Amino acid sequence: MSELLVDFITSLDGHASGEGWPGFWGLEGPEYLAWLGEQPEATYLMGAKTYRLMSGFAAGEVPSGQDEFRPEEEASVDELTQASKVVFSSSLEEPLTWANSTLVRDDAVEAVRAMKSSGSGLLSTIGSLSLCRSLLRAGLVDRFRVVMFPVITGATGEERIYDGYPDVALEMIEHRTFDGRIQLVEYKPRVLEHPPLRVPA
């Protein structure tokens, strides 16, 4: 059975991006980049918006506010190009132009449920906030990982990650600090029907 990881890169205040900010908020360091390079092979899951954005980067479209890609950003996009990707969308048309991408028009929750039961590798989300929310609500997420960068984007932050989420209990299974400033926390999530009657000791 495959394992599903929801994986977010965020500002401290929970934004997935910020207007005018470079990738990684310009704060990635050698330890973090080395860790990224050590990640196991995965099939990446995304929606149409993330696909359009990332495939545009792969085709050479530079993010708004930048003149060119930084080497770290270029390497990250190149790695994604080589990876297997599943895109859930009713609006995109086949064939998808980004290499190693498969379009799925079926209900994303049921499709991922089937992928989990019939597969054996790692499934990982990239961006795709509404997809991640739906998969979490359905109880399909095995690991919930957040890498928080030391910046608050109160004025320029975009894509608030946790709006619309259910209540979720989080059991910590991993934590780490990179380059003395970037914080990783990883949890096993459990969706709650109501707040707990008592807080665990």
Side-chain angles (χ1 to χ4, degrees):
M1 185 169 180
S2 292
E3 184 179 43
L4 175 58
L5 168 68
V6 162
D7 195 17
F8 285 126
I9 297 172
T10 80
S11 62
L12 183 61
D13 53 338
H15 288 109
S17 64
E19 183 180 355
W21 291 85
F24 306 117
W25 287 269
L27 295 169
E28 73 286 342
E31 286 183 7
Y32 176 65
L33 293 174
W35 174 81
L36 278 182
E38 297 165 358
Q39 294 308 293
E41 184 176 317
T43 296
Y44 290 97
L45 313 179
M46 67 188 76
K49 181 178 177 181
T50 298
Y51 173 83
R52 290 186 180 101
L53 179 70
M54 298 304 297
S55 63
F57 293 162
E61 297 175 14
V62 178
S64 176
Q66 292 181 233
D67 295 326
E68 60 183 13
F69 285 111
R70 294 177 300 132
E72 299 82 12
E73 295 170 315
E74 205 166 69
S76 179
V77 172
D78 287 347
E79 288 173 9
L80 279 173
T81 297
Q82 299 305 316
S84 296
K85 298 169 287 294
V86 176
V87 184
F88 299 98
S89 173
S90 60
S91 60
L92 293 172
E93 297 294 335
E94 292 185 296
L96 297 180
T97 57
W98 196 11
N100 304 309
S101 298
T102 301
L103 179 62
V104 174
R105 296 191 183 281
D106 298 335
D107 177 75
V109 167
E110 293 309 314
V112 172
R113 195 187 308 277
M115 291 171 68
K116 284 192 66 176
S117 64
S118 63
S120 59
L122 176 65
L123 303 173
S124 179
T125 61
I126 177 169
S128 308
L129 304 189
S130 61
L131 173 64
C132 294
R133 186 169 54 242
S134 296
L135 296 175
L136 185 71
R137 278 187 179 280
L140 293 175
V141 179
D142 300 294
R143 292 190 287 142
F144 190 91
R145 184 168 72 192
V146 180
V147 177
M148 291 176 290
F149 284 74
V151 61
I152 294 172
T153 54
T156 57
E158 298 178 341
E159 300 180 293
R160 289 169 52 91
I161 290 176
Y162 306 115
D163 287 355
Y165 264 52
D167 288 349
V168 183
L170 299 168
E171 176 189 345
M172 183 171 280
I173 55 177
E174 180 65 59
H175 62 91
R176 182 172 174 180
T177 301
F178 301 103
D179 304 295
R181 61 179 182 267
I182 302 166
Q183 186 68 50
L184 175 149
V185 286
E186 186 172 330
Y187 304 98
K188 180 177 180 181
R190 179 170 55 88
V191 177
L192 301 175
E193 294 184 7
H194 52 74
L197 299 179
R198 63 180 180 84
V199 176

